[in-house]
Amino acid sequence: MNKIIFKAFILTIALFILLSNLTFSQSQEEKIKQLEKRIEQLEAEISKLQAIGKQEEEIIQMIEALKEEVRRLRLEVAMPEIELKSYFGLGPAASKIYYTPCGLSIAGYGEITYENYLDQSKTDRGDVLRFIPYIGYKFTDNILVNSELEIEHAGISNVGDRKPEVYVEFLYVDFLLSSGFNIRTGLFLIPISRMNEYHEPPVYFGTLRPDVERFVIPTVWRELGVMVYGELFSGLSYKAGIMNGLRTDLIGDWIGAGRQRGATVNFDKFAGILRFDFTPIKNLTLGASFYSSGGSDAAGASPKGSAEAKFGLLTFDGQLQFENLLVKGLFAYGSADGNSFYTNRAGRASKVYGWYVEAGYNLIPLIYPESIVSFSPFVRYERYDLNRNVFVGDPDPKKNRSVFTFGIDFKPHPQVVIKADYQLRNTSSSLPAGVGSGKDEWKIDQFNIGLGFIF
């Protein structure tokens, strides 16, 4: 098994090198030469400024402006269609409509994954995990519609419990009124964490999203409602919304299965979300969110059920970009309470928590500072418990988990990523790793490879 993993790593690295060579193919040489010539001209302009005795502050401002022009020229070579910009926390592709003139905008992303489980009791898996088209239309500079359609697992029906999904991920209308106050209404992403809105493959490390974001948050989370958002002042933005509550009859241990996703929504109970993002200094972003919700039984327009509950979820996250180093972290704490019809079901959690920290470093600028290619080794450690406290019985130690992930993130182009990583998984149970009676599936280590892109 170790030989297989070693060969897979070698194959992955060889593929990385091949794609890196393709990136600098002959078809790009002339554009790059033209860019280098322009850079030389800009450097000459800087020298002239210094020669005529400009004040130091003015020179610095001019240099920064010239650097910005160089950056834009490089983007024109690498990305003639879109620039990698985020609009109020949305992913770059999802944000395209905001930087498009009036009319139609089409963008999207996709990801393909391979998971090699290091235990004979579990079969390895390959998956066309997601293909996502974004379709937007800007009626005026102030009114637009943005939508995301999601096709998961290739849309094939023979995948057992991993069911194919084709659905509307979000569909909303934005009324852009001012920098400080805008209105969004429809099916939108809940701003409970940075990744819940900013989750396209090239913008995060790892083949798979962090477990904490998948099971505690849970990503990707969207509901029907109305949200207002804007910037209170430079460096501080907010989002506040009201939306439908959760479906109590669908919840197992925690709220993931209780999301309604815009489908036959039970609107008997409401939920609220409030988020702040603060950038105290350049390249450091801190965020905090609080979600509070009611929950009730059955789908919309169905006979009323009996199980009612209340839920709360608090998150703190941060991100620091220091030159080529990126450090991220998140902490989440959730609680639930309800009537006897909700609390008498074994395994339902009254308290959960989760956190992770990760860091990655792009090595390419050390060798070729002007390259658009990146090669980033990264590490991530996360710990979470979906049964910190339960209403009935004892907590399940298999749901108290830790994951240590290390790997590489290679971008031959800023919009294309190839990932490879190894995950060491563990739980608090005393059972051996494996699938089946008397074993713990969440202790199985795994090796993953992923391919992702945005457009």
Side-chain angles (χ1 to χ4, degrees):
M1 181 61 67
N2 289 336
K3 290 183 178 179
I4 294 174
I5 300 302
F6 177 76
K7 290 179 180 178
F9 264 114
I10 295 299
L11 178 62
T12 304
I13 293 170
L15 182 59
F16 287 176
I17 295 171
L18 174 61
L19 288 176
S20 180
N21 290 333
L22 290 175
T23 301
F24 297 102
S25 64
Q26 187 64 35
S27 63
Q28 296 289 344
E29 283 298 323
E30 290 189 9
K31 290 183 179 180
I32 293 173
K33 286 179 181 178
Q34 291 173 1
L35 178 58
E36 290 172 345
K37 185 176 180 180
R38 179 59 178 145
I39 292 171
E40 290 177 3
Q41 293 172 348
L42 295 174
E43 289 172 344
E45 291 180 31
I46 294 172
S47 298
K48 288 179 183 179
L49 286 173
Q50 293 170 331
I52 63 176
K54 289 280 187 181
Q55 295 294 323
E56 183 178 350
E57 185 176 345
E58 293 178 354
I59 293 173
I60 291 173
Q61 290 175 354
M62 287 294 290
I63 290 173
E64 290 300 318
L66 293 172
K67 284 181 178 178
E68 175 64 15
E69 185 175 348
V70 171
R71 185 185 71 84
R72 290 185 177 276
L73 286 169
R74 290 201 185 96
L75 286 170
E76 287 177 8
V77 173
M79 294 167 289
E81 287 192 10
I82 64 170
E83 186 175 345
L84 296 181
K85 294 194 293 186
S86 171
Y87 177 80
F88 275 98
L90 290 174
S95 298
K96 185 178 179 181
I97 182 61
Y98 295 94
Y99 305 101
T100 300
C102 288
L104 183 67
S105 170
I106 297 177
Y109 76 86
E111 52 187 324
I112 300 171
T113 59
Y114 166 73
E115 299 168 72
N116 180 279
Y117 301 107
L118 304 183
D119 189 281
Q120 295 298 321
S121 65
K122 189 171 184 178
T123 58
D124 299 334
R125 174 167 62 191
D127 198 7
V128 180
L129 188 57
R130 296 179 182 91
F131 175 66
I132 310 296
Y134 295 110
I135 302 173
Y137 194 88
K138 185 176 283 186
F139 302 97
T140 70
D141 288 342
N142 305 106
I143 303 174
L144 62 85
V145 60
N146 200 12
S147 69
E148 175 184 343
L149 304 177
E150 181 145 354
I151 303 169
E152 290 196 350
H153 316 305
I156 298 172
S157 61
N158 60 344
V159 290
D161 61 353
R162 196 172 205 187
K163 297 177 182 179
E165 297 183 8
V166 180
Y167 50 75
V168 177
E169 179 84 0
F170 62 68
L171 176 63
Y172 63 80
V173 176
D174 253 7
F175 298 91
L176 307 177
L177 305 179
S178 69
S179 61
F181 185 80
N182 305 282
I183 301 174
R184 179 171 298 168
T185 181
L187 180 67
F188 54 80
L189 301 176
I190 307 302
I192 189 65
S193 72
R194 178 179 174 84
M195 178 168 279
N196 197 59
E197 297 181 290
Y198 197 76
H199 55 256
E200 296 161 5
V203 303
Y204 66 89
F205 293 130
T207 303
L208 306 173
R209 296 165 184 168
D211 276 25
V212 173
E213 298 271 11
R214 294 162 61 197
F215 303 123
V216 178
I217 295 297
T219 301
V220 171
W221 189 359
R222 72 276 188 197
E223 303 290 3
L224 277 174
V226 178
M227 182 170 72
V228 296
Y229 65 95
E231 193 172 46
L232 295 174
F233 54 81
S234 180
L236 179 63
S237 62
Y238 74 94
K239 294 174 182 174
I242 185 169
M243 64 222 71
N244 61 265
L246 298 170
R247 281 272 305 272
T248 55
D249 57 311
L250 301 178
I251 294 174
D253 48 17
W254 184 232
I255 62 176
R259 295 168 292 173
Q260 300 203 59
R261 306 175 180 179
T264 318
V265 171
N266 178 333
F267 244 117
D268 272 6
K269 302 295 181 180
F270 288 84
I273 182 72
L274 178 63
R275 178 171 178 85
F276 292 99
D277 285 286
F278 180 47
T279 305
I281 59 174
K282 186 178 180 181
N283 297 326
L284 172 63
T285 301
L286 305 173
S289 299
F290 178 67
Y291 169 86
S292 179
S293 175
S296 59
D297 204 335
S302 298
K304 283 185 178 290
S306 302
E308 295 189 353
K310 294 181 179 179
F311 306 91
L313 181 60
L314 178 66
T315 68
F316 299 96
D317 54 73
Q319 175 173 300
L320 173 64
Q321 178 81 56
F322 182 73
E323 295 183 348
N324 305 318
L325 174 67
L326 178 64
V327 180
K328 295 163 60 175
L330 176 140
F331 173 80
Y333 175 82
S335 63
D337 198 5
N339 63 18
S340 60
F341 294 99
Y342 181 80
T343 60
N344 65 3
R345 183 168 167 180
R348 278 182 172 162
S350 60
K351 293 180 182 178
V352 302
Y353 81 93
W355 60 270
Y356 70 86
V357 291
E358 70 175 18
Y361 192 90
N362 181 14
L363 298 175
I364 295 296
L366 301 177
I367 305 167
Y368 184 25
E370 309 304 329
S371 177
I372 62 170
V373 174
S374 70
F375 185 91
S376 304
F378 73 92
V379 294
R380 178 172 66 232
Y381 180 80
E382 52 188 317
R383 188 166 190 90
Y384 64 104
D385 192 345
L386 299 176
N387 263 188
R388 180 65 175 176
N389 289 107
V390 293
F391 294 112
V392 177
D394 297 320
D396 184 351
K398 295 194 295 297
K399 294 182 179 181
N400 184 2
R401 304 165 185 163
S402 66
V403 188
F404 178 67
T405 305
F406 61 93
I408 48 180
D409 179 287
F410 174 67
K411 296 188 183 79
H413 183 284
Q415 292 170 233
V416 179
V417 65
I418 300 171
K419 310 178 184 187
D421 56 71
Y422 191 96
Q423 293 187 307
L424 299 169
R425 293 180 169 272
N426 200 6
T427 77
S428 294
S429 82
S430 58
L431 301 175
V435 177
S437 179
K439 295 184 177 181
D440 189 344
E441 182 177 355
W442 292 95
K443 285 187 175 181
I444 299 176
D445 298 339
Q446 62 187 87
F447 169 68
N448 310 301
I449 299 176
L451 169 67
F453 59 87
I454 62 174
F455 61 88

